[in-house]
Amino acid sequence: MATLYRNARVHSPTEPAATAMLVVGDRIAWVGADHPSAAAGADIVDLGGALVTPAFVDAHVHLTETGLAMDGVDLTSATSRSDVLDAVARRARQRPGEVIMGFGWDEGAWPEPRPPARAELDRAGGGAPVYLARVDVHTAAVSSALLDADPGIAVADGYDDGLVRRDAHHRARGAARAALDPERVRTLRREALLSAAKLGIGAVHEMGAPHISDADDFAAVLALGAEPDLPDVIGYWGELHQVERARQLGAVGAGGDLNLDGSLGSRSARLSDGYADAPGERGMLYVGLDDATAHVVACTRAGLQAGFHCIGDEAVAMAVAAVAAAARHCGLAEVRACRHRLEHVEMLAPDLVPELARLGIAASVQPSFDELWGGPDGMYAQRLTPERAGGLNPFGPMADAGILLAFGSDSPVTPMSGWQAVRAATGHHAPEHRLNTREALAAATRGGWRAARVDDAGVLAPGMLASFAVWDVPGDLVDGLPDVAAGTDPPHCRRTVVRGRTVWEG
Ligand SMILES: [Zn+2]
């Protein structure tokens, strides 16, 4: 089964002037200038001058949550608490008797920055179970009917009269999900992966963990990725000390959202200095250094990737210290071969940058976080002061030091979109932390494969996996790539090919 894609602008490092690409089975067989003898007997697809890039890889998603958010009440544009309550009331009228799930509220810029109260949600929802996740999905507001579904929520750690964090949040999320029709959840999960295909995404990394979902949900997400007409799914299971279980579940790593700390938005990211807007608070540490080290050692001995969610500087430093300690126990070469990875790794102190490179740690980062929350007036500056916030997400210095960067969305925290990540990284609030378009595109494509230890994908060259995307670019190309600066229209995905099979055409 061979297909020649011709009349295209192929973004290939080995053949910069390439206009055609031959795909045989699931691999790229040839890339070069258009001439028919390359393709005797092949199907021919004329791409009409479109741009071809490697398919995007979203290196940090929660697929079921994404599907639920797509179907749930979208609160990302709510500018006040009453906007949120109106949206809940509308949904209660539209779908009476159903649990109401909403996503994306952010009280930071509201006139009165107070989350919706339980009594308000009871009224707006007409007595329905309501679960509304804050934008960072580390805090949620819930109604009394949701609390009735699991009496354990109100006595769990992190419960504060209808506002849930930590364990109380995990339980509340579980109760909301349990109230949904399983068939509906299956449909939404599939739609979420299909929506990735429509965006030119050829693979996603699913971050499963017991505090987010159960093993059945994780298995269902991995099974979707094994279907031939959908993007690939690469799974990570974030449960401390459960190396064998991660392997049994089909995960390629015992890491991902194995949380050392929380988020800056919810003031649970662990800081060495306190929060500027909450004196005396320094966030949470969920795991100690000895446990973190033992986990990395066990993974290294099993030849499996380890990893942690870490955002605040103290949590990031602990994650790096754990990998360094594992290198002393197991050997640096063994640790580097595992390519352990850190999620978010936002407050990375400059002196840890070379240490990440030395230990061969991959950084799974979310450029959209800087776009949303960076800058002198952003949420990060509020939480940390503008000076400390200015050091966050130093992509440029990380890339210069040779650290493997993989871009992700943390969807549904921010929407899946490869070009959006490229735009955010090239337009980082701090100019010294920016990447150029070529570097950013590599982090959004090949970086995701390499962060999962797949080295024969993400580049349009012979022998590589034939997962690529075809784009209509509205403006001119700059150095062979689209100009994705703020204010420009993003490229439109015309076709997504995964392992040689077209999974989306539009
Ligand atoms: Zn996550």
Side-chain angles (χ1 to χ4, degrees):
M1 204 183 72
T3 307
L4 179 75
Y5 294 88
R6 59 169 300 272
N7 190 17
R9 292 172 290 182
V10 180
H11 177 68
S12 170
T14 55
E15 295 286 335
T19 54
M21 188 164 80
L22 180 69
V23 172
V24 179
D26 67 352
R27 297 277 148 180
I28 296 168
W30 171 89
V31 176
D34 211 344
H35 66 91
S37 64
D43 289 341
I44 294 185
V45 177
D46 188 313
L47 294 178
L51 174 71
V52 181
T53 68
F56 285 117
V57 179
D58 192 320
H60 191 127
V61 305
H62 304 278
L63 214 56
T64 305
E65 293 267 301
T66 299
L68 296 176
M70 286 164 56
D71 180 60
V73 183
D74 180 4
L75 302 171
T76 49
S77 51
T79 57
S80 68
R81 197 171 60 256
S82 53
D83 274 2
V84 169
L85 297 171
D86 289 350
V88 168
R90 257 194 316 277
R91 176 56 65 97
R93 283 195 301 274
Q94 286 162 352
R95 302 197 199 167
E98 278 188 23
V99 58
I100 297 171
M101 296 186 83
F103 294 85
W105 59 270
D106 182 355
E107 79 287 12
W110 295 351
E112 188 201 347
R114 171 170 79 68
R118 182 163 58 94
E120 291 171 327
L121 291 178
D122 291 347
R123 271 197 301 280
V130 181
Y131 163 91
L132 306 182
R134 193 182 181 280
V135 61
D136 59 356
V137 201
H138 282 257
T139 300
V142 301
S143 69
S144 301
L146 192 86
L147 296 174
D148 292 344
D150 175 5
I153 300 169
V155 294
D157 171 51
Y159 179 77
D160 181 13
D161 189 30
L163 208 61
V164 291
R165 299 186 178 90
R166 305 189 294 278
D167 276 355
H169 176 235
H170 308 151
R171 293 193 79 118
R173 171 157 59 187
R177 272 206 199 169
L180 291 165
D181 171 20
E183 190 54 43
R184 181 88 190 122
V185 176
R186 265 195 289 281
T187 304
L188 292 171
R189 203 185 271 134
R190 171 178 293 275
E191 281 175 11
L193 192 53
L194 192 58
S195 77
K198 293 177 185 177
L199 294 163
I201 295 170
V204 301
H205 297 190
E206 168 73 11
M207 297 296 157
H211 67 274
I212 297 169
S213 65
D214 56 25
D216 290 346
D217 177 59
F218 186 66
V221 173
L222 294 190
L224 270 186
E227 290 188 19
D229 293 319
L230 285 170
D232 287 336
V233 175
I234 296 168
Y236 287 83
W237 184 253
E239 189 172 8
L240 192 66
H241 303 320
Q242 296 298 318
V243 180
E244 204 38 52
R245 178 163 166 78
R247 214 200 269 284
Q248 280 163 6
L249 291 172
V252 302
D257 276 340
L258 203 180
N259 288 13
L260 296 189
D261 68 345
S263 74
L264 289 165
S266 289
R267 291 192 197 85
S268 48
R270 178 67 168 196
L271 310 180
S272 54
D273 280 332
Y275 280 90
D277 57 355
E281 285 188 32
R282 286 176 55 207
M284 308 291 295
L285 263 186
Y286 301 125
V287 177
L289 178 58
D290 289 348
D291 274 322
T293 301
H295 184 78
V296 181
V297 167
C299 286
T300 305
R301 290 195 173 134
L304 208 65
Q305 274 183 302
F308 302 104
H309 158 124
C310 52
I311 289 179
D313 58 349
E314 192 169 318
V316 171
M318 189 208 274
V320 177
V323 179
R328 288 192 296 276
H329 276 86
C330 307
L332 179 60
E334 284 73 9
V335 158
R336 287 183 59 92
C338 284
R339 221 175 280 179
H340 300 307
R341 58 184 272 178
L342 300 181
E343 308 303 312
H344 316 305
V345 60
E346 290 196 83
M347 283 185 84
L348 178 64
D351 59 319
L352 285 184
V353 170
E355 183 67 350
L356 246 71
R358 181 182 77 87
L359 295 166
I361 297 173
S364 164
V365 298
Q366 295 73 35
S368 296
F369 288 4
D370 172 73
E371 189 168 88
L372 277 175
W373 301 314
D377 306 315
M379 181 269 283
Y380 289 158
Q382 270 175 34
R383 294 282 186 275
L384 300 171
T385 73
E387 291 68 35
R388 285 157 72 201
L392 263 63
N393 295 303
F395 304 142
M398 291 166 87
D400 289 347
I403 294 169
L404 169 56
L405 290 174
F407 285 174
S409 62
D410 203 358
S411 176
V413 176
T414 75
M416 291 187 282
S417 163
W419 290 118
Q420 156 73 34
V422 170
R423 182 181 80 189
T426 55
H428 196 298
H429 279 97
E432 69 275 22
H433 294 170
R434 287 178 188 160
L435 300 179
N436 66 40
T437 309
R438 194 165 289 270
E439 293 168 325
L441 183 64
T445 55
R446 188 180 188 196
W449 290 111
R450 293 188 61 217
R453 297 200 288 175
V454 178
D455 290 332
D456 58 349
V459 180
L460 302 182
M464 293 282 169
L465 200 66
S467 290
F468 57 91
V470 179
W471 305 95
D472 286 325
V473 180
D476 293 334
L477 298 184
V478 183
D479 289 335
L481 288 172
D483 176 10
V484 292
T488 59
D489 287 331
H492 168 75
C493 183
R494 198 202 281 177
R495 181 193 286 259
T496 305
V497 176
V498 175
R499 297 178 182 270
R501 295 171 69 102
T502 297
V503 301
W504 162 252
E505 249 188 298

